[in-house]
Amino acid sequence: KYEELINQNSGKVLKIEKWGLLNFKRKIKSYTKGHFLHIKLQAQKETLDEIKSKTKLDNNILRFLTVKYKNLDLKKKYFEKNKN
């Protein structure tokens, strides 16, 4: 649903990493685990503002973080399972 929102507002999704179900350091609204997504995108400020307003209203999203990068590393996978 957010990928469509980004594409409709002249943004571009570069990469989506599904990190899976992970434990929280502390409880958040009585939850101890949650699904984590890492979305790398290219968008204008208006698109980011629209995403922020939608995520604040979405009850399925407990927390979100937006970070601005000059150069994105699209090759590195942060939570890749080791084959060893």
Side-chain angles (χ1 to χ4, degrees), residues 10 31 33 35 44 47 53-54 56 62:
S10 71
Y31 295 103
K33 295 182 180 187
H35 286 275
Q44 300 293 324
T47 306
S53 66
K54 297 283 185 184
K56 286 180 184 178
L62 298 175

Side-chain angles (χ1 to χ4, degrees), residues 2-84:
Y2 290 99
E3 188 173 0
E4 284 182 25
L5 178 70
I6 293 165
N7 291 332
Q8 289 173 355
N9 290 312
S10 71
K12 189 165 121 181
V13 176
L14 302 175
K15 185 177 184 181
I16 297 177
E17 291 182 32
K18 295 179 182 179
W19 292 354
L21 185 65
L22 299 174
N23 292 324
F24 296 145
K25 179 87 173 176
R26 295 185 183 91
K27 281 187 177 181
I28 301 174
K29 297 181 182 178
S30 75
Y31 295 103
T32 58
K33 295 182 180 187
H35 286 275
F36 284 69
L37 289 175
H38 186 197
I39 302 173
K40 295 182 180 181
L41 59 101
Q42 185 177 7
Q44 300 293 324
K45 184 179 181 332
E46 295 80 22
T47 306
L48 293 176
D49 292 339
E50 182 73 21
I51 292 169
K52 286 180 185 179
S53 66
K54 297 283 185 184
T55 53
K56 286 180 184 178
L57 298 174
D58 194 346
N59 290 332
N60 293 322
I61 298 176
L62 298 175
R63 297 278 194 272
F64 64 92
L65 175 68
T66 305
V67 180
K68 182 179 178 179
Y69 285 96
K70 290 184 182 181
N71 297 320
L72 280 175
D73 182 13
L74 297 176
K75 294 179 183 175
K76 185 172 183 178
K77 295 182 181 179
Y78 292 95
F79 283 89
E80 184 177 14
K81 293 181 181 178
N82 292 334
K83 295 180 181 178
N84 297 333

